[in-house]
Amino acid sequence: MRWEELDREPCSLARTLSVVGDRWTLLVLRECFLRVRRFEEFEQRLGIARHVLADRLKKLSDAGVLEKVPYQERPRREEYRLTEKGLALYPALQALLDWGDAYMSGPEGAPIIRRHKSCGHAMHAVQICSECGEPFGARDITAELGPGAQGEKLPSGVASPKGK
């Protein structure tokens, strides 16, 4: 598997990583969720080289995760806003934050507390089954071939659907 060919792998995780799979891209997305929109503000907050930032913003825009929206006409200036596709990445980033809070924080605890606006409580992400509503973890899941896997080489550990 070659890094530049991940978008063609028969695996949704590999295809996702082809868009968001490097540290700068994830940090750009973090800033987007903290409502940063303008190039100079990304640059200042991240301390990232201009060409690296421009590359990551272009990649996210080309993938439909961000869209460029004009905020000034003369001179024309644009800002980057999350699309629906981009907003759908929020649970993944929350899961990474929870992991970082649990395993990478110092003894003083998490550097940022996330608070639910509706109830006012500090919170963390929880995974629940979309069908029964029960929480689940890695040991509670099995994987089987889906309709998009026909004729493709699949990762080991993926079972055939029942009856096939």
Side-chain angles (χ1 to χ4, degrees), residues 15-116:
R15 291 175 181 169
T16 300
L17 288 174
S18 75
V19 176
V20 300
D22 73 76
R23 65 184 125 198
W24 284 120
T25 301
L26 289 173
L27 293 173
V28 166
L29 287 170
R30 177 195 68 191
E31 296 303 315
C32 289
F33 284 111
L34 293 171
R35 295 173 179 78
V36 172
R37 294 187 174 136
R38 298 187 179 166
F39 188 94
E40 292 76 18
E41 194 174 0
F42 284 112
E43 185 180 30
Q44 177 187 29
R45 289 176 57 114
L46 293 171
I48 184 174
R50 289 181 71 81
H51 74 281
V52 174
L53 176 58
D55 177 68
R56 296 321 185 272
L57 290 169
K58 181 179 181 338
K59 187 174 189 176
L60 289 168
S61 296
D62 289 348
V65 172
L66 298 177
E67 65 179 338
K68 290 166 79 169
V69 177
Y71 68 89
Q72 177 180 307
E73 285 304 320
R74 295 188 183 187
R76 183 172 176 87
R77 296 198 179 264
E78 298 171 319
E79 61 186 17
Y80 296 87
R81 295 195 178 209
L82 289 159
T83 62
E84 286 301 312
K85 187 176 182 179
L87 289 167
L89 285 166
Y90 191 70
L93 266 67
Q94 291 303 297
L96 288 170
L97 281 166
D98 283 343
W99 185 88
D101 289 348
Y103 298 105
M104 303 302 288
S105 292
E108 52 286 330
I112 295 173
I113 303 298
R114 292 166 280 151
R115 196 165 298 282
H116 187 220

Side-chain angles (χ1 to χ4, degrees), residues 123-161:
M123 50 77 62
H124 64 276
V126 176
Q127 290 186 323
I128 60 167
C129 174
S130 60
E131 303 305 310
C132 70
E134 286 186 23
F136 68 86
R139 291 184 176 106
D140 303 315
I141 305 298
T142 60
E144 62 186 44
L145 297 178
Q150 298 172 358
E152 299 198 38
K153 179 183 158 214
L154 294 163
S156 62
V158 177
S160 296

Side-chain angles (χ1 to χ4, degrees), residues 160-164:
S160 296
K162 293 177 180 162
K164 289 196 176 186

